[in-house]
């Protein structure tokens, strides 16, 4: 699954549905855009299962690092047979903070298994991804086809992200999620 579909990408680039001449190359771009947006936003966009090891000491609360979190599936000890009842835990889906409401605190090296990402990708993320895609496509091929030198017009880009994320894409995407250490 990608943040945008091949059909959405073709519509953005004004490529006819029946024109399949660049589908393989375009699909590669589409597949890569999700990672670009996830890196910039510091969050999981594509819904997927995450397995994360946590080293905890008698924790009544702990954080899952790949937010937003859809659901917590299990918390088990890496060594031994201890498991914790996730139905007795409260999850803040936006921040990934888990609180143990009852039962023993979570302790030792544990594996947390959970689903993270968006069940429905926010529209503004899709729009931002399509702007990134169009920018990357046009810098390689030019508007309407390949150009010599591979670069077209002066697109304003954020200096931190060089040419990959144009300013208008950043406006669609909004600010990145704060990184908590």
């Amino acid at each position: 699954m990608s943040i945008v579909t091949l059909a959405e990408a073709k519509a953005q680039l004004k490529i006819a549905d029946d024109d399949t001449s660049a589908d393989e190359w375009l699909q590669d771009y589409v597949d890569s855009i999700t990672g670009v947006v996830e890196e910039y936003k510091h969050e999981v966009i594509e819904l997927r299962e995450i397995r994360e090891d946590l080293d905890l000491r008698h924790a009544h609360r702990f954080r899952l690092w790949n937010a937003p979190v859809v659901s917590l599936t299990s918390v088990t000890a890496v060594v031994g047979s201890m498991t914790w009842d996730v139905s007795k835990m409260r999850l803040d889906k936006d921040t990934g903070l888990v609180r143990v409401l009852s039962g023993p605190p979570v302790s030792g090296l544990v594996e947390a298994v959970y689903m993270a990402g968006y069940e429905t990708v926010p529209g503004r993320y899709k729009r931002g991804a399509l702007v990134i895609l169009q920018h990357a496509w046009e810098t390689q091929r030019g508007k309407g086809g390949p150009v010599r030198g591979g670069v077209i017009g002066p697109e304003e880009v954020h200096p931190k992200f060089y040419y990959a994320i144009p300013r208008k894409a950043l406006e669609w995407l909004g600010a990145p999620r704060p990184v908590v250490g």
Side-chain angles (χ1 to χ4, degrees), residues 131-132 135-136 138-139 143 151-171:
V131 169
I132 295 167
H135 176 72
E138 290 175 354
T139 57
K143 291 183 181 180
V151 179
I152 60 154
E155 171 63 49
E156 283 191 56
V157 296
H158 192 285
K160 181 177 178 187
F161 301 103
Y162 305 101
Y163 73 91
I165 303 181
R167 288 186 193 271
K168 59 186 164 186
L170 294 175
E171 290 172 13

Side-chain angles (χ1 to χ4, degrees), residues 50 52-54 56-76 83-107 110-116 180:
I50 305 287
E52 182 175 326
D53 287 346
L54 302 166
L56 304 171
R57 299 288 176 253
H58 303 290
H60 290 279
R61 65 183 184 164
F62 58 92
R63 184 171 311 280
L64 303 172
W65 295 105
N66 295 281
V69 179
V70 174
S71 62
L72 179 59
T73 307
S74 65
V75 177
T76 58
T83 62
W84 287 264
D85 185 350
V86 296
S87 70
K88 295 179 180 178
M89 296 180 183
R90 181 180 178 107
L91 169 66
D92 182 322
K93 293 180 177 193
D94 189 48
T95 65
L97 184 64
V98 178
R99 295 178 194 274
V100 178
L101 300 176
S102 65
V106 181
S107 191
V110 300
E111 179 186 60
V113 179
Y114 56 100
M115 292 298 293
V180 180

Side-chain angles (χ1 to χ4, degrees), residues 4-25:
V4 296
T5 65
L6 181 61
E8 291 167 329
K10 288 175 101 169
Q12 177 75 19
L13 300 173
K14 296 178 177 42
I15 298 173
D17 290 336
D18 60 350
D19 179 356
T20 60
S21 62
D23 279 6
E24 189 175 320
W25 197 31

